[in-house]
């Protein structure tokens, strides 16, 4: 059964499903959907969360074992499986089919992945999970959809915000829903019942170091290694969350990969800019990056980002900012050195 991200809260009120397929291209919506599922599930006794990330050598039997096992800490368990922008393959597909035969009312399986193409949605494993569960697709928000999303967040946070203030916030965050939501939360804490004016919004934006993240994106797109490292040092000194920096890098990378693939398929660059909602002030930097980075290089960076993400979540990164610096440099110039990931003793 299909249920769009904005429909999920009302759908969850009807009851929990054994399976949730959360697929799309916008990380904030993914995190929000998963959190909503977790929150409702916790009210019903699903207190333990076990996370897996699909990587090379992944043991699919572990998923089945965890799905069947009784938790030591909780009577009911949530299993989150991040497909890591990949397809499950034959072994994974068979694993999902096996799990469907073993439906466990005390376990919820949440599968997260990239945008589910038509061939994925037509696959046997996807159809089987969808039949017993809920498919939650989400998409990058643009234009009026961003404005509608912002209106919904303001209503949820009881924020009284002027229209000009909303437009300024949308313009400043340029589609980064995480940065936009964080700013809304800050406004809610500082000015709970006051009218939020454009002046208040702009003053807050100017004082927020987290928006240096956009400077990092610009430096990466323009191939400015020295500037990228300078901005990264500033973000590190301000204790900017690693996941926020990772989100910014991943966002730019995915855009570049999509544009490169489109160009290889003969699509005009102007059409690709429109499809990917690349604003006019960003078109020149994106063009510069496309001219500099081949699809092969972009795929290498994507692989290193996946390794970084999994290693960071598993606590195997001694110096995450150093590893991010490595990835940033690779955006700007050739770097034939492996990502510095080391097990923590």
């Amino acid at each position: 059964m299909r249920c769009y991200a904005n429909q999920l809260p009302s759908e969850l009120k009807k009851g929990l499903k054994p399976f949730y397929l959360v697929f799309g291209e916008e990380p904030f919506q993914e995190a929000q959907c998963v959190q909503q599922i977790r929150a409702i599930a916790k009210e019903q006794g699903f207190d333990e969360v076990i996370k897996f990330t699909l990587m090379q050598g992944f043991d699919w039997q572990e998923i089945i074992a965890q799905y069947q096992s009784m938790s030591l800490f909780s009577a009911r368990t949530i299993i989150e499986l991040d497909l890591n922008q990949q397809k499950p393959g034959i072994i994974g597909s068979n694993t999902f089919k096996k799990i469907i035969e073993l439906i466990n009312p005390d376990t919820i399986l949440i599968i997260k992945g990239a945008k589910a193409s038509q061939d994925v949605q037509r696959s046997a494993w996807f159809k089987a999970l969808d039949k017993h569960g809920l498919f939650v697709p989400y998409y990058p928000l643009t234009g009026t959809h961003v404005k509608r999303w912002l209106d919904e967040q303001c209503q949820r946070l009881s924020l009284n915000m002027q229209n000009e203030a909303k437009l300024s916030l949308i313009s400043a965050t340029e589609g980064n829903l995480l940065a936009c939501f964080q700013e809304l939360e800050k406004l809610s804490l500082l000015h709970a019942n006051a009218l939020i004016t454009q002046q208040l919004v702009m003053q807050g934006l100017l004082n927020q170091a987290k928006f240096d993240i956009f400077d990092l994106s610009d430096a990466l797109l323009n191939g400015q290694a020295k500037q990228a490292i300078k901005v990264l040092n500033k973000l590190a000194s301000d204790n900017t969350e690693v996941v926020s920096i990772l989100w910014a890098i991943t966002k730019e990378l995915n855009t570049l990969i999509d544009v490169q693939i489109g160009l290889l398929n003969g699509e005009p660059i102007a059409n690709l800019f429109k499809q990917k909602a690349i604003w006019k002030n960003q078109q020149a930097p994106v063009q510069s990056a496309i001219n500099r980075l081949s699809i092969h290089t972009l795929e290498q960076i994507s692989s290193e980002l996946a390794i970084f993400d999994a290693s960071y979540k598993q606590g195997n990164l001694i110096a995450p900012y150093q590893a991010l610096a490595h990835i940033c440099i690779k955006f700007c110039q050739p770097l034939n050195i492996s990502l510095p990931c080391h097990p923590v003793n």
Side-chain angles (χ1 to χ4, degrees):
M1 175 180 172
R2 183 191 298 260
C3 164
Y4 293 103
N6 63 333
Q7 301 169 327
L8 182 58
S10 59
E11 193 62 37
L12 288 170
K13 291 178 182 178
K14 301 176 184 177
L16 288 168
K17 303 285 188 181
F19 310 117
Y20 289 91
L21 300 156
V22 183
F23 283 66
E25 301 174 315
E26 205 289 311
F28 177 79
Q29 291 183 83
E30 175 190 284
Q32 197 171 49
C33 288
V34 172
Q35 184 55 42
Q36 289 167 354
I37 297 168
R38 276 195 211 161
I40 297 298
K42 188 172 183 179
E43 293 175 1
Q44 300 185 29
F46 290 85
D47 293 321
E48 185 178 12
V49 179
I50 300 172
K51 297 183 179 182
F52 294 96
T53 300
L54 180 58
M55 295 187 67
Q56 187 173 4
F58 181 76
D59 184 4
W60 285 96
Q61 285 301 314
E62 183 67 15
I63 293 285
I64 294 178
Q66 288 291 349
Y67 190 81
Q68 290 181 292
S69 68
M70 292 293 292
S71 171
L72 297 175
F73 308 103
S74 170
R76 316 188 88 182
T77 303
I78 298 172
I79 297 175
E80 289 183 23
L81 172 60
D82 186 349
L83 293 180
N84 201 15
Q85 310 294 311
Q86 303 177 61
K87 294 181 180 180
I90 295 175
I91 298 177
S93 300
N94 291 335
T95 299
F96 291 143
K97 293 175 186 176
K98 178 68 174 177
I99 286 175
I100 291 164
E101 297 172 0
L102 303 168
I103 288 182
N104 181 354
D106 293 322
T107 303
I108 292 174
L109 176 61
I110 302 174
I111 303 170
K112 304 184 295 185
K115 179 181 177 181
S117 59
Q118 287 300 315
D119 64 314
V120 169
Q121 293 183 45
R122 286 193 293 264
S123 62
W125 67 267
F126 191 98
K127 285 183 177 180
L129 289 168
D130 185 27
K131 180 180 179 181
H132 296 279
L134 197 64
F135 170 35
V136 188
Y138 57 93
Y139 307 94
L141 303 182
T142 59
T144 58
H145 297 290
V146 178
K147 178 62 164 54
R148 190 178 303 122
W149 173 85
L150 182 56
D151 289 339
E152 291 171 355
Q153 303 310 311
C154 286
Q155 183 177 8
R156 194 172 70 80
L157 295 170
S158 299
L159 272 176
N160 182 17
M161 183 180 286
Q162 288 181 339
N163 190 59
E164 294 80 3
K166 292 178 180 178
L167 294 177
S168 294
L169 183 56
I170 290 171
S171 177
T173 52
E174 296 186 0
N176 184 338
L177 299 188
L178 175 60
C180 187
F181 184 75
Q182 287 175 337
E183 189 63 19
L184 289 174
E185 283 191 316
K186 188 200 72 172
L187 289 168
S188 177
L189 290 171
L190 295 177
H191 312 287
N193 299 314
L195 175 64
I196 308 299
T197 64
Q198 185 179 38
Q199 183 179 0
L200 277 177
V201 168
M202 296 311 296
Q203 182 180 1
L205 292 174
L206 290 172
N207 291 333
Q208 290 302 305
K210 67 176 175 284
F211 289 99
D212 284 347
I213 259 180
F214 297 119
D215 295 328
L216 178 63
S217 295
D218 289 340
L220 295 180
L221 290 175
N222 287 304
Q224 299 168 336
K226 186 175 180 180
Q227 176 67 9
I229 299 304
K230 179 180 178 181
V231 173
L232 187 60
N233 280 332
K234 177 66 165 58
L235 294 173
S237 67
D238 290 336
N239 293 316
T240 304
E241 292 215 11
V242 169
V243 291
S244 295
I245 301 173
L246 181 63
W247 178 89
I249 297 174
T250 302
K251 176 178 179 293
E252 301 302 345
L253 178 70
N254 289 340
T255 297
L256 294 177
I257 290 175
D258 288 345
V259 172
Q260 278 286 29
I261 291 174
L263 290 173
L264 290 172
N265 290 333
E267 295 186 54
I269 188 70
N271 290 357
L272 293 168
F273 284 156
K274 185 175 181 180
Q275 290 172 19
K276 299 302 171 185
I278 300 172
W279 297 27
K280 182 169 283 189
N281 64 338
Q282 285 296 100
Q283 290 178 6
V286 169
Q287 182 70 68
S288 172
I290 290 299
N291 293 341
R292 184 179 70 255
L293 300 167
S294 67
I295 188 67
H296 176 68
T297 300
L298 293 172
E299 288 173 346
Q300 283 184 327
I301 298 173
S302 179
S303 177
E304 293 204 352
L305 280 172
I307 292 171
F308 176 95
D309 185 42
S311 299
Y312 182 73
K313 290 175 181 175
Q314 295 165 7
N316 292 336
L317 280 174
I318 296 174
Y321 290 105
Q322 177 186 342
L324 285 171
H326 170 98
I327 293 171
C328 288
I329 292 172
K330 201 157 191 174
F331 252 95
C332 304
Q333 63 191 55
L335 187 64
N336 296 318
I337 303 173
S338 298
L339 189 69
C341 297
H342 307 287
V344 176
N345 295 323

